[in-house]
Amino acid sequence: MIIGVALIPRLDISNKPRPRQGSTLYVNFWWNGASAKVIEQNVTSRIEGVCSSIKGVENVSSESHYGHGNVKVELKKNASISSVKFEIASQLRQLKDKFPKGVSYPQLSGGEVITSKSEKDQIKNILTYVVTGPMPDSEIADNMRQKLEQRLEKLEGVNHVNVQGGVGKYLQISYDAKTLSLYGLTASDLETAIRAYMGNNDIIGDVMHTDRYGDKSRISLFLHEKGTSLESMPIKTIDDKIVFLNNLATFETKEYEPNNYFRINGQSTVYVSVYAEENVNIVNVVNRVEDELEEAKSELKEFHFRKEYDRAEEEMTDFYTLITRSAMALAILLLFVYVSRRNVKYLSIVFLTLLVNILIGVICYYVFDIRLHPFSMAGITVSFGLIIDSTIVMVDHYSYHHDYKAFWGILGAMLTTIGSLIIIFWLPEWLKNDLYDFSCMIIINLAVAIFVSAVFAPALVCSLKYQSRQIGNVKNFRIAHGWNVFYRKYVNVAQHRIWRWPMIACIIGLFIFSLLGFVDNINSNAYKPKDKELILHIRASMPIGGTATELNSKVKELEAFLSKIKEIKSYETIIRGGMGYVKVRFKPEYMHTSIPYFVENKVISKVITIGGADWSTYGISQKGFSNSLNLQYRSNRIQIAGYDYDKLYRYAEDIYREMSNN
């Protein structure tokens, strides 16, 4: 029991089951404004090279598109998902700093059996901090990336850390064409000189390596950037005089026009968001991040951190609710036990035996790595009644007869129940994923109950010197005697050779009748997953050529409207390029009312008045809303395939030139 108590904080707690292991991983990334060829050469090929070198990887394929790309990794049959994912995640962390500026952090997902489309994206935000300080947002963001981001990403269970806010800067070089012509130079000469002086970060080739086991890996080679000052860069020597770049051009540092926006409740500031690996114990990961942040604050004294979102806190709230319900169910069961005997010593034996079952069960949950979630907690609650049943039978029998003959009846009953639960392991995947832990919990608890009822319960009866032999009153004796007379006559009839087989046939017929009724209704009354939280999703898109800045002004108008609705718990805004998303959550007390539908109608009425963008909503009403006419995209794709990318690209350029003449 002491060991069980010590292991309770180490149990895996979540609000949903752990997905079953699959064999496919996905790496997704974004680079706004970059062409497919640039993405292929600078990002996709590097990630492919890293993934293909990992032991246990069977096949790697990829796609590079305008602004984004993805890599699909298929594992070998007996490969360890957790080991491969850990190694790929570690390599991606090291590779991140080598990517060109503007490339998002590669998101690694997959590794589980996908039972619904909504489960594919398993890497989710678990913590978000709002950071303020006595400096511009861009400097705060730079400090967070330099001093905090890498520290948190090294923690076990953390997938990546995303710092959003602030605007980056760039160096603008302005030249005078007449001045260049005096020196016999052109703008292309300046560009070539700058590229040659700074170095290039593009990929220049691959090396195929084969180890002694025959496994092949690809090592990508890159040029290294020197990072020296441009102002003092020599351009040309004229009459033994060196012409520097600052003789020909002027320099000005400017801020980039933002291409991404992220806000919570309309507040535009610096956010540090922590994303966890799939299927980890979120509570433990959050605790590690918070401990590390406390240590880092000694170096970040000028900054103030305010927690905006804590997923672990939400999950623990739901878990505590489950604990309360289970405790209430247990209290009701124990109340029935007391009412039936009205004996404190008897109640104590049943309670202590049940407590031993639970704490020894905790040891088994930890050893077999079973997650505690709503379905598994339901399994614990259901098993309470079965455990108390076996305890009562053993306590009553042993205290009366002082032998273990009742144990075999308990063993048979428990094994029968365990056998009936095994069928869950052959259910369809979408059902088994939720009921797997439920079944395991009951099986473990019943197996522990067999051991406890055989060893602990009799020892407790002896220690407390409990006796179940009692002298009844005359009234109770008459009732028991009358029942015994009736039961004896029933047994005589049931065992008679004339009535035995008709009764057996009648019982079989009733069973078949019940079974047919069950089969007829199984499809219409089958188990359905728990209803998800009602979230209003609002999507906005600009026409071709629209920018994030233009869309941001329109979304801000919507945010001002949402801030006045008191029933809304929070709203989160994400803008990438010409696409924007607003996710609206409602307060719990309004979740199952008509308020979400009312708010959706108000939002639709509002966005119709905001011109210059296409709007749509989904997540609340069945049909949702969209005012998009789909006039900006038509059938305009020509796809060519082959094994030589450079040759394919030349073919694509030929097609482009040919079509441009039309």
Side-chain angles (χ1 to χ4, degrees):
M1 291 172 68
I2 294 174
I3 296 175
V5 171
L7 290 177
I8 289 177
R10 301 176 69 94
L11 294 177
D12 186 5
I13 300 172
S14 182
N15 63 342
K16 63 181 180 179
R18 183 185 299 137
R20 309 264 69 81
Q21 178 171 304
S23 59
T24 306
L25 302 176
Y26 303 90
V27 182
N28 298 281
F29 59 90
W30 294 265
W31 188 4
N32 292 314
S35 67
K37 183 177 182 180
V38 173
I39 289 179
E40 169 68 25
Q41 292 179 337
N42 291 277
V43 185
T44 310
S45 59
R46 300 185 182 187
I47 296 177
E48 273 192 301
V50 165
C51 294
S52 60
S53 64
I54 303 296
K55 188 175 182 180
V57 173
E58 177 73 21
N59 183 50
V60 179
S61 59
S62 67
E63 293 182 5
S64 298
H65 302 273
Y66 179 81
H68 65 94
N70 62 80
V71 177
K72 180 180 179 181
V73 182
E74 297 180 7
L75 307 186
K76 295 179 180 178
K77 185 176 181 181
N78 298 321
S80 170
I81 285 284
S82 57
S83 300
V84 174
K85 288 190 69 173
F86 177 78
E87 193 166 354
I88 291 179
S90 300
Q91 294 289 339
L92 290 177
R93 289 193 188 98
Q94 298 176 13
L95 194 61
K96 181 194 66 172
D97 296 334
K98 299 179 181 178
F99 288 148
K101 189 173 183 179
V103 179
S104 68
Y105 191 96
Q107 294 188 3
L108 176 62
S109 61
E112 70 283 340
V113 175
I114 302 298
T115 58
S116 67
K117 291 183 179 179
S118 62
E119 291 181 10
K120 186 172 181 178
D121 184 16
Q122 296 291 333
I123 300 176
K124 294 185 178 180
N125 181 16
I126 60 170
L127 272 175
T128 297
Y129 287 94
V130 176
V131 186
T132 56
M135 58 188 70
D137 289 351
S138 57
E139 294 185 25
I140 297 176
D142 289 340
N143 276 275
M144 293 302 105
R145 293 187 182 100
Q146 296 172 6
K147 300 179 181 180
L148 186 63
E149 184 176 315
Q150 292 186 355
R151 290 188 62 164
L152 297 182
E153 287 180 351
K154 293 178 181 178
L155 299 177
E156 182 182 355
V158 175
N159 181 275
H160 69 281
V161 177
N162 190 17
V163 178
Q164 293 178 305
V167 181
K169 297 180 180 180
Y170 66 95
L171 184 66
Q172 178 176 292
I173 303 175
S174 303
Y175 63 90
D176 184 1
K178 293 181 179 179
T179 304
L180 290 183
S181 63
L182 293 176
Y183 289 97
L185 299 172
T186 63
S188 60
D189 293 332
L190 287 184
E191 183 179 352
T192 302
I194 292 173
R195 289 184 181 276
Y197 187 75
M198 292 185 62
N200 200 334
N201 216 19
D202 291 341
I203 187 170
I204 60 172
D206 295 333
V207 175
M208 295 302 297
H209 173 69
T210 305
D211 61 19
R212 59 178 181 175
Y213 300 105
D215 293 333
K216 293 183 177 181
S217 61
R218 184 172 68 179
I219 303 173
S220 298
L221 304 180
F222 307 91
L223 289 174
H224 182 66
E225 184 175 324
K226 298 176 183 177
T228 52
S229 175
L230 288 176
E231 289 86 346
S232 59
M233 183 185 73
I235 300 294
K236 190 176 182 180
T237 302
I238 301 177
D239 297 332
D240 297 330
K241 182 180 179 181
I242 300 176
V243 179
F244 297 95
L245 183 60
N246 57 5
N247 300 132
L248 305 171
T250 58
F251 303 86
E252 184 179 3
T253 301
K254 292 187 173 182
E255 291 186 344
Y256 284 107
E257 182 177 343
N259 197 52
N260 297 286
Y261 293 89
F262 176 76
R263 291 189 293 271
I264 296 179
N265 295 337
Q267 297 180 0
S268 181
T269 183
V270 175
Y271 292 87
V272 177
S273 301
V274 181
Y275 292 79
E277 296 282 1
E278 300 171 42
N279 310 322
V280 297
N281 188 325
I282 293 177
V283 177
N284 289 347
V285 176
V286 168
N287 290 336
R288 292 192 201 105
V289 172
E290 291 180 339
D291 292 342
E292 186 68 24
L293 182 60
E294 287 299 320
E295 295 182 7
K297 284 182 179 179
S298 59
E299 303 177 9
L300 304 168
K301 295 180 179 179
E302 65 271 31
F303 301 102
H304 174 70
F305 294 83
R306 177 171 58 85
K307 188 187 296 184
E308 187 74 19
Y309 172 71
D310 187 345
R311 187 180 175 193
E313 185 176 339
E314 290 185 358
E315 293 193 0
M316 289 305 294
T317 301
D318 295 338
F319 187 75
Y320 289 143
T321 302
L322 288 171
I323 293 292
T324 303
R325 292 174 179 173
S326 299
M328 291 174 63
L330 178 59
I332 293 172
L333 289 172
L334 294 176
L335 178 63
F336 287 154
V337 171
Y338 178 75
V339 170
S340 66
R341 286 298 177 90
R342 295 185 298 278
N343 188 307
V344 176
K345 188 179 292 187
Y346 183 79
L347 179 64
S348 301
I349 293 174
V350 173
F351 174 75
L352 289 174
T353 306
L354 183 62
L355 187 61
V356 171
N357 273 275
I358 294 173
L359 294 179
I360 295 179
V362 168
I363 300 175
C364 297
Y365 308 154
Y366 178 79
V367 171
F368 293 107
D369 193 23
I370 297 178
R371 171 174 287 183
L372 294 183
H373 55 86
F375 293 103
S376 58
M377 287 298 297
I380 295 176
T381 306
V382 168
S383 61
F384 283 164
L386 300 173
I387 294 172
I388 291 178
D389 183 42
S390 65
T391 301
I392 290 175
V393 171
M394 194 64 192
V395 170
D396 283 5
H397 179 86
Y398 188 83
S399 63
Y400 192 91
H401 296 284
H402 295 284
D403 60 41
Y404 291 90
K405 291 181 179 180
F407 171 74
W408 302 109
I410 295 173
L411 179 63
M414 293 296 193
L415 292 179
T416 302
T417 306
I418 291 173
S420 66
L421 290 169
I422 294 177
I423 193 174
I424 290 178
F425 301 127
W426 282 273
L427 287 175
E429 198 66 45
W430 67 280
L431 277 173
K432 184 173 69 175
N433 191 53
D434 288 335
L435 298 178
Y436 184 90
D437 292 337
F438 170 83
S439 179
C440 288
M441 283 293 189
I442 298 180
I443 291 175
I444 288 175
N445 289 341
L446 296 188
V448 172
I450 294 173
F451 169 74
V452 173
S453 63
V455 178
F456 183 76
L460 200 58
V461 169
C462 294
S463 298
L464 298 179
K465 298 178 181 179
Y466 173 73
Q467 279 286 349
S468 64
R469 189 187 298 271
Q470 298 177 5
I471 300 175
N473 57 38
V474 176
K475 182 179 178 181
N476 292 338
F477 175 77
R478 288 175 179 175
I479 295 174
H481 178 71
W483 170 257
N484 288 338
V485 171
F486 168 77
Y487 187 70
R488 186 181 297 110
K489 290 180 179 180
Y490 161 75
V491 172
N492 291 334
V493 172
Q495 289 184 337
H496 197 279
R497 60 182 181 179
I498 297 178
W499 297 103
R500 179 187 303 172
W501 293 109
M503 292 186 67
I504 293 175
C506 181
I507 292 173
I508 294 175
L510 289 173
F511 175 76
I512 294 175
F513 179 78
S514 301
L515 180 63
L516 291 176
F518 173 76
V519 173
D520 290 340
N521 291 277
I522 184 65
N523 291 329
S524 60
N525 295 295
Y527 158 81
K528 291 181 174 59
K530 177 184 176 182
D531 292 337
K532 294 185 178 179
E533 177 187 4
L534 282 178
I535 299 176
L536 175 60
H537 298 269
I538 308 170
R539 183 168 59 187
S541 60
M542 295 291 292
I544 292 178
T547 65
T549 303
E550 295 169 343
L551 181 59
N552 183 55
S553 62
K554 304 177 186 301
V555 174
K556 277 189 173 182
E557 188 175 345
L558 173 63
E559 288 176 332
F561 173 77
L562 295 175
S563 65
K564 300 176 182 178
I565 303 176
K566 63 180 182 179
E567 293 85 1
I568 293 178
K569 176 184 176 182
S570 65
Y571 51 94
E572 179 181 302
T573 302
I574 298 176
I575 298 176
R576 293 194 182 104
M579 297 294 295
Y581 304 88
V582 181
K583 185 187 296 184
V584 181
R585 286 187 166 90
F586 299 91
K587 295 178 180 179
E589 57 267 29
Y590 303 110
M591 191 65 64
H592 300 290
T593 66
S594 60
I595 292 298
Y597 300 91
F598 177 71
V599 171
E600 181 187 33
N601 290 330
K602 292 181 67 175
V603 167
I604 292 173
S605 301
K606 177 62 180 178
V607 297
I608 290 176
T609 65
I610 305 176
D614 290 339
W615 298 89
S616 62
T617 66
Y618 62 94
I620 302 296
S621 59
Q622 187 174 2
K623 292 184 178 180
F625 162 79
S626 175
N627 65 353
S628 174
L629 299 176
N630 294 320
L631 297 178
Q632 54 183 343
Y633 292 105
R634 297 177 175 85
S635 179
N636 56 5
R637 173 180 293 180
I638 296 178
Q639 180 173 309
I640 56 178
Y643 295 99
D644 189 330
Y645 181 84
D646 293 332
K647 188 176 291 186
L648 285 175
Y649 198 82
R650 287 197 296 272
Y651 289 151
E653 289 177 329
D654 293 340
I655 295 173
Y656 167 76
R657 284 191 294 269
E658 185 70 23
M659 296 181 67
S660 298
N661 294 328
N662 190 337

